[in-house]
Amino acid sequence: LVVFFRRSPEPAPWGRFCLGFMAALRGGRPYFVLVGGEAHALQGGEQDQRHFQHTSVPFIGSAYEQLRAAGVSREQIITIVQLDDYLRTLSLGISGDINTGIPTHYYAEQLARTEAKCRRLLDEGGADYDHGAVNPGTVWHVLLGEVSADRRKVVPEDCTALFLGIYSHGDSHPAKPDSKEPHDHLTAEWFAHMPYPTRELDLLSFVAHGGAGKNKAGRSNAPYYLYSTQLRLIFHQLFERDPSRPVVGLLNYCRSGGNLEFMRRQSASWLGSDHWPLFLMSSSQAGVDSLVAGFWEAYFRILSQTLRLERQSDGRDGAQPAQPHSGHFLADGALSPGSTLEDLFEAANEAYFRENAYELLNHVKMRAWASKVWSLDFHFLGRKAGDCDPWHIDLKHCIESGRLGESQRS
């Protein structure tokens, strides 16, 4: 389930922030940082040991396409993802230079699918940071605008709004080795997986990574993790430099809700972070393992359609502006002018559940648990006893058809 949090003591400033960020996307100089992670064990070792599928590459490619189609310039999008790295592995599979037992034509088909999803990104030079640069240290320095000899493209000082999107696997581990305590902000660290390690171990000096464990080579896993503590420190530095520049984050990985926990603490008001213009979204609750790929796709699609509508309204595309329907939503899926970040989130959330009915079905079942129904065994022709029940059938029909189940039966 997708959740979002934001901090603001009063509705009015928060409303202005929501509108302010959307305005900055439309007329300012926003920057989008798209991070595609993956577990080191899956895509960071020797190429003949890597998995056939890559968790994030196609999704970074599709998000990039949506932003470019909306008129966001190539310069204003920074991509950190194993694009060339992964395509090289697929090419080795096609040529037979790696022996994984997977037929070569499967590699060819996967290469074609991946290139199709990343076509524009490939045509425009590929990822800004690829191969070994896909690590937590790169994310840190890019977001903080820290240029070096091998790190030229970073978020600049004149950025008017910052969007961070991370798609990866995620998890949490105990702060102390071998701890069995339930995970909370005092006992655990949350993180996103990255395929390569940071070489700057000082970035771990403020992280409780004692329980990170070790990989097969006997090295600590911590340098491969992008921690919630690191993201929080990044936000602190960003808002120290510019307290008014809005920052929005979409964290799309398992247990990513744990990264938002600091926004709930009472200490947020002591540190001033409850006044940050910060809007964070996560695809999963702190203890839930689910990627929720459909929400990422829906979010960037609606964002793209909304930004394109603005271009039409301004006459920049030479097209007639779309006509608004009731509320903030338009017939083509875009949001009408004056919509806020919350409107965008709600539109993407609605689209996700509409396009992934099984998720909504499970969500309703969890919220409205009919214990008396579930304790009975119903018999249906061709099904095992207790395999399904009228309540489940009616609920599924209602979600998929938009009509009440009982009216269908009558």
Side-chain angles (χ1 to χ4, degrees), residues 198-259:
T198 179
R199 304 298 180 188
E200 302 168 81
L201 299 184
D202 58 316
L203 296 182
L204 296 169
S205 62
F206 46 82
V207 178
H209 59 84
K214 295 183 179 181
N215 59 27
K216 292 181 179 179
R219 302 188 186 95
S220 172
N221 289 318
Y224 297 89
Y225 296 160
L226 177 61
Y227 283 100
S228 60
T229 300
Q230 293 168 329
L231 288 177
R232 188 165 70 250
L233 265 291
I234 290 171
F235 296 143
H236 268 283
Q237 293 191 48
L238 289 175
F239 292 120
E240 281 181 356
R241 298 175 187 177
D242 188 346
S244 63
R245 181 175 64 182
V247 175
V248 170
L250 173 55
L251 311 179
N252 213 109
Y253 45 93
C254 295
R255 305 194 183 196
S256 51
N259 294 268

Side-chain angles (χ1 to χ4, degrees), residues 81-323:
V81 64
Q82 288 179 280
L83 179 55
D84 182 67
D85 198 0
Y86 180 54
L87 295 181
R88 287 191 184 186
T89 300
L90 295 178
S91 296
L92 290 174
I94 294 171
S95 65
D97 289 330
I98 56 175
N99 183 16
T100 62
I102 299 173
T104 57
H105 71 274
Y106 283 7
Y107 279 106
E109 293 167 0
Q110 181 68 358
L111 179 67
R113 284 192 295 267
T114 305
E115 288 180 336
K117 291 286 285 187
C118 303
R119 184 73 271 158
R120 185 176 291 210
L121 180 55
L122 286 167
D123 290 345
E124 296 182 349
D128 297 300
Y129 299 93
D130 207 324
H131 295 271
V134 185
N135 67 68
T138 299
V139 179
W140 175 282
H141 294 298
V142 165
L143 291 174
L144 293 177
E146 297 171 351
V147 177
S148 69
D150 58 351
R151 192 174 51 249
R152 297 292 186 182
K153 192 172 182 182
V154 299
V155 177
E157 291 183 3
D158 64 351
C159 165
T160 57
L162 176 58
F163 185 100
L164 169 64
I166 304 176
Y167 196 107
S168 187
H169 290 298
D171 208 335
S172 59
H173 69 64
K176 300 176 182 179
D178 303 318
S179 172
K180 304 299 182 184
E181 296 178 276
H183 287 189
D184 61 32
H185 72 280
L186 296 176
T187 65
E189 288 278 0
W190 277 261
F191 58 88
H193 284 274
M194 299 297 283
Y196 294 99
T198 179
R199 304 298 180 188
E200 302 168 81
L201 299 184
D202 58 316
L203 296 182
L204 296 169
S205 62
F206 46 82
V207 178
H209 59 84
K214 295 183 179 181
N215 59 27
K216 292 181 179 179
R219 302 188 186 95
S220 172
N221 289 318
Y224 297 89
Y225 296 160
L226 177 61
Y227 283 100
S228 60
T229 300
Q230 293 168 329
L231 288 177
R232 188 165 70 250
L233 265 291
I234 290 171
F235 296 143
H236 268 283
Q237 293 191 48
L238 289 175
F239 292 120
E240 281 181 356
R241 298 175 187 177
D242 188 346
S244 63
R245 181 175 64 182
V247 175
V248 170
L250 173 55
L251 311 179
N252 213 109
Y253 45 93
C254 295
R255 305 194 183 196
S256 51
N259 294 268
L260 281 56
E261 188 280 330
F262 77 94
M263 303 175 84
R264 301 189 186 99
R265 299 182 205 168
Q266 186 177 5
S267 60
S269 60
W270 305 339
L271 299 173
S273 56
D274 57 341
H275 288 277
W276 290 350
L278 174 65
F279 187 102
L280 291 180
M281 299 165 282
S282 77
S283 63
S284 308
Q285 302 284 353
V288 177
D289 295 324
S290 58
L291 277 173
V292 198
F295 183 78
W296 175 278
E297 297 281 75
Y299 189 91
F300 279 101
R301 183 179 70 243
I302 295 171
L303 174 61
S304 178
Q305 291 166 338
T306 301
L307 295 177
R308 275 183 273 185
L309 173 66
E310 286 295 314
R311 293 176 62 84
Q312 293 176 5
S313 300
D314 293 346
R316 283 175 281 176
D317 285 345
Q320 293 296 317
Q323 297 302 311

